[in-house]
Amino acid sequence: MKLEVTHLSRAFGSHKALDGLSLAIENAHSLVLVGPSGGGKSTLLRILAGLETPDSGTVAINDVPLLFDEPQLLQHRRRIGVVFQAFNLFPHLSALENITLPLTAVHGHTRSEAQDIAMEQLRRFQLEAKAAQKPAALSGGQRQRIAIARALAVQPQMLLLDEPTSALDPSMTAEVLETIALLRDQGRDFVLATHEMSFARRVADRIALVSNGRVAELSEPGPFFDTPISPVTREFLAKVV
Amino acid sequence: MVPSGVQRSTKRLFFLSRTEAEPSGPVRAFNLALVTCLVVGTAALILRSSGLRWDWEAVFGYWRLFVDGWRTTIGISAAALGISTLIGAGVALARRSVFVPLRILAQGYVEVVRGTPLLAQIYILFYIVADAVHLENRTLAGILTLSIFSGAYLAEVFRAGIEGIAHSQLESALAIGLTRAQTYRYVILPQALRNVLPAMTGQFVSLIKDSSLLSIIGLNELTQSARNVASYTFSNLESYLLLALGYMAITLPISILTRRLERRFRYET
């Protein structure tokens, strides 16, 4: 994917979540965002997902500029898969129905096509036994993996994952991370915000440190962890690694 | 003092243990029988000491009137139930509309209807509004009045149900690319329906009982029939007892049906 973000700003009241953030990557499948909580990772992802409108700045994905008016945003959201920290699934629908809903309601598949696609996704994640279960009957890790399956089922241009393991027990984190590693092996394009540093190193083609609403450092994982340039990165890595 | 075995098993006949949510079958049956005996016994004692003499024969002579009234009550209630649900849903959506005048209109409607007695509304709508628009059909006027009254309460019930949906659900709906209308259809309404079911039934039961007030505009529904029979036969008590039973026969099945539906819709969140 190619991603170009220039001078992106977004304030909530007096708090500047994004403060003129710029970022450009090319020829990479995965971009991992790390940095302190409240640094702007989520806001950036939400703007990329078409869920939030910036006060100023531009975004272009694969050379297509993102237009921030509602009809365009709706089309954009339909091309993108999003996984939040938690509560992605609809509690009144089974795992299977959660996956088929966007397929039938948004992407024009028939019921039986949608079911085939959804079962195929579940099978790939070894979750076919959970197809009929409601989210309440699933573990947190299973819920997140089904959310990823739902996002993938519509064949999105890219996947946006906003701290998908932050609300999970450590015991369940691993299974979700394995699923994400699978995406990387398949060469899928995704942007992931996470606090799991060793995992970031493993799956990132590019890694960016987002802090105070700006990108402090953007490079490949090797140099990022071994020879960071920015003092902000050094300070952050000293705290978390 | 440590309770003895006898004390403990006596206690278990009447009290739920900390781990039980519902009484077991036999315990429930035993207590149901006990409470029924107590209530019936008390009622019998009250009736005996009041020295009333029953005269069912005179009342039964007018059974046709009762049946006709009962059927009218069911008809009016069913129609008003449907119309008021539509009004309630429409007004609940209007209160959340992005078009400000509609919001204010909807809120004003709810406040006025909930803040005034049904009796006043019936008089005003029937003698002023219905007259002005040449609506001469009493039954239709009655149904509409009842629908407008109940619709305001249902609007509030539905609004609470919609607003009870977690923000994260709306966010997920947006993220998967649903439009606003699709979000209502696939995400909000199914969840809201389950949340509002108990309050909605309560309102339906009220509506059925409130239909009795339509007797004041001369609608021959159950209350009017009972009142007529009472005046023909001087058997007030018998007529009104039948009246009460008539309403129970409508409201009780609704309560039971809802409890079944609630069980079917139940899922943890």
Side-chain angles (χ1 to χ4, degrees):
Chain A
M1 66 176 159
K2 184 177 174 186
L3 189 62
E4 261 185 300
V5 175
T6 46
H7 301 302
L8 209 56
S9 290
R10 178 70 166 104
F12 297 100
S14 62
H15 171 66
K16 288 180 181 166
L18 294 182
D19 189 10
L21 180 143
S22 294
L23 169 158
I25 60 162
E26 233 180 315
N27 301 324
H29 284 304
S30 60
L31 168 66
V32 176
L33 308 173
V34 297
S37 298
K41 301 186 299 288
S42 273
T43 309
L44 174 59
L45 276 175
R46 290 174 52 79
I47 291 174
L48 292 179
L51 297 170
E52 193 83 62
T53 306
D55 299 328
S56 60
T58 63
V59 174
I61 298 168
N62 298 329
D63 291 323
V64 180
L66 185 51
L67 301 175
F68 294 100
D69 65 278
E70 187 47 38
Q72 298 283 338
L73 283 179
L74 181 66
Q75 292 310 316
H76 174 68
R77 286 183 212 119
R78 293 175 168 179
R79 289 192 293 265
I80 300 278
V82 183
V83 177
F84 303 104
Q85 228 179 72
F87 308 118
N88 287 285
L89 302 181
F90 302 117
H92 61 296
L93 300 179
S94 70
L96 188 77
E97 290 163 339
N98 262 285
I99 302 175
T100 57
L101 174 61
L103 288 167
T104 54
V106 177
H107 296 273
H109 289 279
T110 66
R111 231 189 150 67
S112 72
E113 275 171 7
Q115 290 198 342
D116 291 346
I117 296 170
M119 278 315 285
E120 174 60 31
Q121 279 298 338
L122 288 173
R123 209 170 296 129
R124 207 170 283 172
F125 291 173
Q126 274 134 43
L127 285 166
E128 66 263 51
K130 305 291 175 191
Q133 305 271 16
K134 297 263 167 79
L138 302 168
S139 74
Q142 288 165 345
R143 271 179 240 164
Q144 287 301 76
R145 286 159 64 209
I146 285 162
I148 295 173
R150 180 175 72 187
L152 284 177
V154 302
Q155 311 228 341
Q157 189 181 25
M158 67 160 73
L159 220 56
L160 303 173
L161 305 131
D162 188 6
E163 302 193 18
T165 60
S166 292
L168 296 179
D169 289 339
S171 63
M172 290 169 185
T173 303
E175 62 174 277
V176 177
L177 294 183
E178 278 322 304
T179 306
I180 297 169
L182 202 69
L183 301 182
R184 185 203 149 80
D185 297 342
Q186 294 168 353
R188 297 225 181 230
D189 289 342
F190 65 88
V191 181
L192 163 73
T194 186
H195 290 291
E196 304 279 337
M197 288 304 143
S198 56
F199 185 72
R201 182 166 195 159
R202 185 174 144 208
V203 298
D205 289 333
R206 299 284 188 283
I207 184 159
L209 185 101
V210 181
S211 177
N212 291 321
R214 292 160 176 268
V215 173
E217 182 144 4
L218 169 64
S219 61
E220 293 182 12
F224 182 91
F225 285 102
D226 301 333
T227 53
I229 299 162
S230 159
V232 183
T233 315
R234 274 187 233 138
E235 197 189 324
F236 176 72
L237 290 178
K239 261 188 237 158
V240 296
V241 180
Chain B
M1 201 174 70
V2 180
S4 70
V6 176
Q7 275 177 320
R8 224 177 301 147
S9 47
T10 317
K11 198 178 162 197
R12 227 181 280 154
L13 258 182
F14 299 104
F15 291 92
L16 292 178
S17 77
R18 221 172 276 249
T19 51
E20 282 174 314
E22 293 287 330
S24 67
V27 169
R28 199 189 131 77
F30 168 73
N31 283 285
L32 183 67
L34 189 75
V35 172
T36 310
C37 286
L38 278 173
V39 171
V40 172
T42 311
L45 271 177
I46 291 174
L47 286 176
R48 236 178 86 183
S49 54
S50 72
L52 266 170
R53 299 246 296 283
W54 294 103
D55 180 13
W56 287 104
E57 237 167 272
V59 174
F60 283 150
Y62 289 96
W63 67 272
R64 271 220 87 90
L65 264 180
F66 274 105
V67 171
D68 286 346
W70 192 67
R71 282 164 60 176
T72 306
T73 288
I74 290 182
I76 291 171
S77 301
L81 207 125
I83 298 172
S84 64
T85 303
L86 290 180
I87 293 178
V91 171
L93 292 180
R95 285 199 71 171
R96 296 172 49 82
S97 167
V98 289
F99 185 53
V100 181
L102 200 59
R103 279 178 100 102
I104 293 175
L105 184 69
Q107 191 172 353
Y109 158 72
V110 169
E111 297 303 345
V112 168
V113 170
R114 293 205 313 170
T116 55
L118 176 57
L119 193 66
Q121 290 170 25
I122 293 173
Y123 276 126
I124 291 168
L125 283 171
F126 185 68
Y127 289 108
I128 302 176
V129 181
D131 201 44
V133 300
H134 303 294
L135 175 62
E136 273 148 31
N137 186 327
R138 276 165 198 268
T139 311
L140 192 57
I143 289 171
L144 289 178
T145 307
L146 203 54
S147 303
I148 289 169
F149 174 74
S150 192
Y153 288 86
L154 283 173
E156 284 300 274
V157 168
F158 293 156
R159 188 173 66 99
I162 291 171
E163 284 171 4
I165 306 289
H167 184 71
S168 59
Q169 291 290 299
L170 306 182
E171 206 55 343
S172 283
L174 205 59
I176 63 171
L178 297 184
T179 61
R180 198 176 152 87
Q182 286 176 324
T183 303
Y184 270 106
R185 176 169 164 205
Y186 296 113
V187 178
I188 297 179
L189 288 184
Q191 296 187 63
L193 188 66
R194 155 194 177 255
N195 294 343
V196 304
L197 209 54
M200 199 169 92
T201 319
Q203 185 50 42
F204 284 162
V205 168
S206 289
L207 181 151
I208 291 162
K209 294 181 295 172
D210 288 339
S211 73
S212 65
L213 271 180
L214 293 176
S215 57
I216 61 166
I217 55 169
L219 262 183
N220 285 319
E221 40 70 73
L222 185 53
T223 304
Q224 180 76 349
S225 308
R227 210 181 274 165
N228 287 342
V229 174
S231 66
Y232 302 152
T233 62
F234 304 106
S235 309
N236 275 305
L237 191 68
E238 293 83 347
S239 301
Y240 284 104
L241 253 175
L242 273 180
L243 170 77
L245 284 175
Y247 281 103
M248 277 283 279
I250 312 173
T251 56
L252 207 58
I254 293 185
S255 298
I256 292 169
L257 187 73
T258 326
R259 223 170 300 152
R260 276 213 201 128
L261 277 177
E262 268 176 61
R263 229 171 294 152
R264 228 181 68 188
F265 284 161
R266 193 175 295 166
Y267 55 85
E268 312 277 330
T269 41

